[in-house]
Amino acid sequence: MGGVQRVTARNARFQQWQALLTNRNKRSRAREFLVQGVRPITLALEHGWPVRVLLYDAERSLSHWAGQLLRDNTGVERLAMAPELLAELGEKNETPPELVAVVGIPADDLDRIRVGDGFLGVLFDRPTSPGNIGSIIRSADAFGAEGLIVTGHAADVYDPKSVRASTGSLFALPAVRVPSQREVEVWLDRERAAGRPVTVVGTDEHGETALYDFDFTGGPVLLLIGNETTGLSSGWRERCDRTLSIPMSGSASSLNAANAATAVLYEAARQRALQARESGRVVLPGQAGQAAGQHH
């Protein structure tokens, strides 16, 4: 497995990897997806994700980063690939990537998301844009959230657009796909029974409470973000303990789903950091969840 092989033609394996870029069903069956870029590949390895294959340019002098990564991960299958083939897997028109990683998809298990006293999580209901999923993962990671849940008939967390938009945060933050609201309700009931009642908060342009008037420091919070066009489903809207509106001026009546999520996550992090500072602990916004008593 530590030996080096070469891929110089569009053989069956190459076609399988190429299909992972465009075919969600093939990603689901293989339980694999492709990762490009220095930061995402580095974070996938650092966070212990199952990297199955490392593909690299057979004709290129590799950077120190790429060379070191190949030397340090001798247990991973390594394949030298013709540059034009690697460019196809890299989906870039300009410079082909140095490395592309084939990475295993973890189980969609809500227990991957750990709920502590200061838990902050995000649920995205039936998103249609994979780019929005990746952007929310990035913001959730930046502002101390513990995980993302994607519910219903939705775009795929492991779509290349989502993976790229997350800029590597996908590997640092659990993102779990579930078929419906029911699975989340069972999970919330289990957490409540264990003494961790999670407040469910939805964003809505007609929300009953202005964002900055809601107290994010009072315990575990799950933030609901609705579908980009239709908003939250009626089931999720009824389930909310509170709905929040984001006060805005100007001619815009609403924000893009990812921007709305980012605004709320920032406000939660700001409140929790302020609470920590007032109690004598100095934290950065991204550490706010831990400061509020989050268990890791």
Side-chain angles (χ1 to χ4, degrees), residues 82-238:
E84 65 275 11
L85 299 183
L86 196 63
E88 287 184 42
L89 298 183
E91 291 188 299
K92 291 185 178 177
N93 297 322
E94 59 272 13
T95 311
E98 282 193 289
L99 290 179
V100 172
V102 182
V103 180
I105 294 176
D108 285 302
D109 183 351
L110 285 167
D111 287 337
R112 289 175 56 213
I113 301 175
R114 300 176 63 186
V115 179
D117 296 337
F119 170 77
L120 178 63
V122 185
L123 182 145
F124 201 172
D125 178 35
R126 300 164 296 126
T128 56
S129 163
N132 278 338
I133 294 174
S135 295
I136 288 179
I137 291 172
R138 183 179 183 179
S139 293
D141 183 26
F143 294 119
E146 277 289 82
L148 172 73
I149 302 167
V150 176
T151 57
H153 183 69
D156 188 16
V157 168
Y158 300 101
D159 183 288
K161 293 184 181 69
S162 172
V163 177
R164 279 199 301 274
S166 83
T167 64
S169 288
L170 172 64
F171 304 107
L173 185 96
V176 177
R177 305 167 295 179
V178 296
S180 69
Q181 183 174 342
R182 186 174 57 81
E183 291 81 7
V184 184
E185 294 287 8
V186 170
W187 175 69
L188 289 171
D189 288 344
R190 197 165 65 239
E191 294 297 337
R192 186 181 299 107
R196 296 180 292 268
V198 178
T199 301
V200 177
V201 176
T203 57
D204 187 278
E205 60 182 291
H206 306 296
E208 61 199 349
T209 304
L211 171 60
Y212 42 62
D213 288 331
F214 179 76
D215 181 7
F216 283 96
T217 66
V221 174
L222 180 64
L223 166 66
L224 307 188
I225 303 293
N227 169 274
E228 294 92 337
T229 305
T230 60
L232 288 171
S233 67
S234 57
W236 274 123
R237 196 178 296 276
E238 289 167 13

Side-chain angles (χ1 to χ4, degrees), residues 118-120 141 143-146 272 276 281 283-296:
F119 170 77
L120 178 63
D141 183 26
F143 294 119
E146 277 289 82
R272 291 173 174 201
R281 289 166 293 155
V283 296
L284 299 171
Q287 300 168 325
Q290 293 94 306
Q294 195 161 301
H295 301 318
H296 286 273

Side-chain angles (χ1 to χ4, degrees), residues 259-276:
N259 291 341
T262 300
V264 180
L265 287 164
Y266 176 79
E267 175 61 15
R270 186 195 68 79
Q271 288 186 23
R272 291 173 174 201
L274 183 62
Q275 180 195 51

